[in-house]
Amino acid sequence: MSYAFIFPGQGSQSVGMLAELAESYAVVKEVYSEASDVLGYDLWDVVQNDADGKLNQTDVTQPAMLAAGIAVYRTLASQAELSPRYMAGHSLGEYTALVASGVMTLSQGIELVAERGRLMQSAVPAGQGAMAAVLGLEDEQVVAVCDAVDGVVEAVNFNSPGQVVIAGEKAAVDAAMEAATEAGASKVVPLAVSVPSHCSLMKPAADALQDKLAAMTFAEAQTPVLHNVNVAVSANEAEIKQALVQQLYQPVQWVKTVQTMKESGVEKLFELGPGKVLMGLNRRIDRKMPTLAVYDNATLEKAISSL
């Protein structure tokens, strides 16, 4: 069977995630310990207790989710021989895929996404940006709605047929939400985020991230990773870095990512990390492409038995 591993992004985090898996497999806490050494604080304690309400701060969420995905991946790898055809990740999850594929070390990945979160938050002050999910319109309709609104608002996540996320300046997003409803959207939902990801407002953050990436050395991927921005596999380190820079201010092409894997012969997807967000999206993209979300002991056993 040809299969691929996919990794979720922000929004899948929750207090107490992976607690059961950590009780059974020491590698989970080992991953978080390595991440904590890079960050200078106890990331596992934040994930399990979140006494100060930090888990949903983007500079904390991003390393917490990357560590979660790698913890599940390494746990699975300790129990089964793995040979995925591809790896991919949604937004932040692309970094998790690059760590899992061997392009960057876990320490490099944690350092990068923590800085990525800080840069994103500083690019647009809290309250000035917004995101919303538009349901029930064609992609082209959502793009047209955004184009017709004054100010910065763009279609940024093509998540599944009939579900597109928009992002930009708060006033422009509010106007686009109203216009989308008038255009026939079945539902328009504002998202509880502090940063308008993947839109042109993130260009200053992308420029700063480029400087950070320039100082790092990456290895060759052991498994091909499909990038969010172009749904392609990079041939070299420079292309990988450029894809990560562009990802900050250009759309996530998730529908095309799943379709490309299917067309390449992938028969099953495994979502590694907390939650089932990508499994839900994938069902709407292609119901004939089964996806198993792996995040606890029971789902891990299912994954092992089906590999």
Side-chain angles (χ1 to χ4, degrees), residues 17-99:
M17 62 185 184
L18 304 191
E20 182 192 82
L21 207 63
E23 289 180 4
S24 301
Y25 300 94
V27 67
V28 175
K29 288 187 180 178
E30 290 169 4
V31 168
Y32 273 89
S33 177
E34 185 175 341
S36 298
D37 288 343
V38 175
L39 297 168
Y41 61 85
D42 190 339
L43 184 60
W44 182 250
D45 180 66
V46 173
V47 166
Q48 296 306 306
N49 302 305
D50 197 25
D52 301 322
K54 292 181 178 178
L55 183 57
N56 289 331
Q57 294 177 10
T58 188
D59 61 323
V60 176
T61 307
Q62 296 196 30
M65 281 298 299
L66 188 149
I70 294 303
V72 175
Y73 172 73
R74 289 186 179 176
T75 301
L76 184 59
S78 72
Q79 303 300 309
E81 186 174 339
L82 306 180
S83 55
R85 173 71 181 86
Y86 286 110
M87 293 186 186
H90 189 285
S91 186
L92 165 72
E94 184 171 327
Y95 286 79
T96 317
L98 289 167
V99 172

Side-chain angles (χ1 to χ4, degrees), residues 96-291:
T96 317
L98 289 167
V99 172
S101 72
V103 169
M104 61 180 79
T105 66
L106 175 59
S107 294
Q108 283 179 313
I110 293 294
E111 181 182 349
L112 265 175
V113 299
E115 180 65 10
R116 180 178 182 265
R118 287 189 288 269
L119 292 171
M120 291 170 70
Q121 192 65 70
S122 63
V124 180
Q128 294 188 18
M131 299 182 75
V134 179
L135 310 180
L137 294 181
E138 298 293 330
D139 293 355
E140 297 77 11
Q141 290 177 285
V142 179
V143 172
V145 162
C146 291
D147 287 345
V149 170
D150 291 334
V152 177
V153 58
E154 300 156 10
V156 297
N157 291 356
F158 295 95
N159 285 336
S160 68
Q163 186 192 121
V164 179
V165 173
I166 61 175
E169 297 166 342
K170 187 177 186 311
V173 171
D174 289 344
M177 290 172 64
E178 185 175 340
T181 300
E182 293 173 356
S186 59
K187 196 173 184 180
V188 181
V189 184
L191 302 183
V193 297
S194 59
V195 173
S197 302
H198 305 295
C199 75
S200 56
L201 297 178
M202 289 292 111
K203 189 63 166 63
D207 292 341
L209 183 68
Q210 187 167 25
D211 293 337
K212 179 79 173 176
L213 285 164
M216 288 187 164
T217 300
F218 292 159
E220 187 174 341
Q222 296 166 6
T223 301
V225 175
L226 288 171
H227 294 295
N228 286 180
V229 293
N230 56 11
V231 198
V233 175
S234 292
N236 55 54
E237 182 180 26
E239 287 183 3
I240 292 171
K241 291 179 177 180
Q242 187 60 28
L244 293 177
V245 171
Q246 291 175 335
Q247 188 222 55
L248 259 186
Y249 63 93
Q250 293 186 18
V252 173
Q253 301 287 354
W254 191 249
V255 173
K256 291 180 180 178
T257 298
V258 174
Q259 291 172 339
T260 295
M261 289 190 285
K262 176 74 175 288
E263 291 165 1
S264 299
V266 171
E267 301 166 88
K268 188 167 186 175
L269 300 174
F270 294 85
E271 178 180 3
L272 307 186
K276 306 174 185 178
V277 170
L278 298 183
M279 185 168 74
L281 295 180
N282 295 351
R283 282 174 178 165
R284 292 192 286 273
I285 295 170
D286 187 343
R287 287 190 171 275
K288 294 181 180 179
M289 169 77 85
T291 303

